[in-house]
Amino acid sequence: MGVNPVYGVMTADAKRAFVLNQGDGTVSVINAQTNRLDTVPVSLTNPTNPTNPIQLCIAPACASPATVNPLWADFAPVRNEVVVANAGDGVNPGSLSIISIPLCSATAQTGNPNCDLNNPVDAIGFGTVVATVPVGVNPVMVGVLQDTTNSRAYVINKGNTSLPCAAPTAAVTAATTTCSVSVINLNTNTVIATIPLPLSLSPNASTPANNGHPNYIAVTSGTPTGKVYVVSPDSNFMTVIRTDTDAIDTTVPLQGGGVSVRVTQP
C-alpha cells in the first residue's frame, strides 16, 4: 500500500481492487485472484513505475503528491475506467482523476495466447491517467451514471468547511464558499455543468436559511431519466437532480441532517 490508505473499491468481476492512498496521492492495485499487488504495465503517466501504485500527481499541473488527497472512487465499467475524487487542500478546487483499467479479454485472446480469461493480465493502457479534470472546492465523493455508455460522473463539492455555503444565486465572497455538484462528461472528460445546491430552511431564527455542505451522493440510471440524490449533514432536505437535464428536479424534506443516501438497483 501507499501512505495513509483511506478507501477501496473492487471491480464487479472481483478481479481487481483499488486502494486510494491519501498520504501520497496514489492508487494501489490488487490482483484479487492472487491477493498480491498487481503488475501494472508502464504507461505514459507512470513511465518509471511499472508496478504499483498508480501516481495521480501528473506534472506539470500537479507539483506535489501530498496535495492530491484522493478519498473516493467509482467505476465506469462500460468504459473500463475508474474515476477518483481528489479533495485537494479543501480550500482550492480539487480534481477528478480518470484512470484506464482494461484487462485482456476474449477479443484479445485470439492473438494473445497468454491471455488467461480465468486470471487475465492487464491490457495495454491499464493504469494510465487519461485525464485530470478540475472540479469544485473540496470534492468528497463521486458517482458514475450507469447508463449504456457511462456517459457522466457527478462529483459533490463540499466547499471550505470553515465557511458557510453561498446561496445559489449569490456571488461567492471571502466569507462564503461554493457548495455544488460538478457534472463531468466522460466522453470529453470535461465539466459540462456546475449545479449549486439550494438553501435549506432552518427552524433556528438566527439562521433562517442554511445551505448545507454536501457529503454523500447516490446516482441511478432510469427511464425517462436517471436521478442524482445529494444530502448534507447541515441541511434538512435531500436534493434530487435529473440526469437528462442536469438540473435540480426537487427537494425532499428530511427529519434531520442527511448523512448518507442509497438507492436500489434500477
Side-chain angles (χ1 to χ4, degrees):
M1 295 296 104
V3 179
N4 190 21
V6 294
Y7 187 70
V9 289
M10 181 177 285
T11 54
D13 61 11
K15 289 182 168 58
R16 295 292 186 275
F18 299 82
V19 179
L20 311 187
N21 304 306
Q22 195 170 53
D24 58 4
T26 63
V27 177
S28 296
V29 186
I30 310 299
N31 185 324
Q33 295 173 288
T34 63
N35 292 326
R36 295 181 179 180
L37 284 173
D38 189 31
T39 302
V40 178
V42 173
S43 69
L44 293 175
T45 53
N46 288 281
T48 60
N49 184 34
T51 54
N52 257 320
I54 297 170
Q55 308 290 328
L56 298 180
C57 183
I58 310 299
C62 176
S64 171
T67 64
V68 179
N69 290 325
L71 77 171
W72 199 272
D74 196 12
F75 291 107
V78 177
R79 313 180 74 87
N80 288 317
E81 292 175 343
V82 58
V83 298
V84 180
N86 305 309
D89 61 8
V91 177
N92 298 297
S95 63
L96 184 74
S97 295
I98 302 171
I99 307 171
S100 180
I101 56 169
L103 300 178
C104 71
S105 61
T107 303
Q109 190 178 32
T110 303
N112 181 7
N114 294 322
C115 180
D116 180 1
L117 299 184
N118 294 318
N119 184 17
V121 297
D122 300 336
I124 295 173
F126 187 104
T128 299
V129 180
V130 297
T132 302
V133 184
V135 290
V137 173
N138 197 14
V140 294
M141 195 170 180
V142 58
V144 173
L145 182 64
Q146 301 300 323
D147 56 2
T148 56
T149 63
N150 295 147
S151 60
R152 292 187 295 290
Y154 294 82
V155 177
I156 49 172
N157 304 303
K158 194 171 187 177
N160 186 338
T161 55
S162 66
L163 298 174
C165 300
T169 57
V172 178
T173 68
T176 59
T177 187
T178 300
C179 300
S180 62
V181 177
S182 296
V183 185
I184 294 89
N185 183 324
L186 292 179
N187 293 308
T188 60
N189 295 330
T190 57
V191 175
I192 57 174
T194 300
I195 306 169
L197 294 179
L199 288 176
S200 172
L201 299 179
S202 170
N204 188 340
S206 63
T207 56
N210 180 46
N211 193 0
H213 299 78
N215 74 322
Y216 216 95
I217 189 171
V219 182
T220 182
S221 59
T223 302
T225 179
K227 296 289 181 70
V228 178
Y229 304 92
V230 181
V231 295
S232 311
D234 48 353
S235 176
N236 57 11
F237 64 82
M238 177 176 67
T239 300
V240 183
I241 299 169
R242 291 176 64 104
T243 63
D244 57 345
T245 60
D246 288 328
I248 293 176
D249 183 26
T250 188
T251 56
V252 180
L254 303 176
Q255 293 179 312
V259 295
S260 180
V261 57
R262 302 296 178 97
V263 294
T264 57
Q265 292 292 328

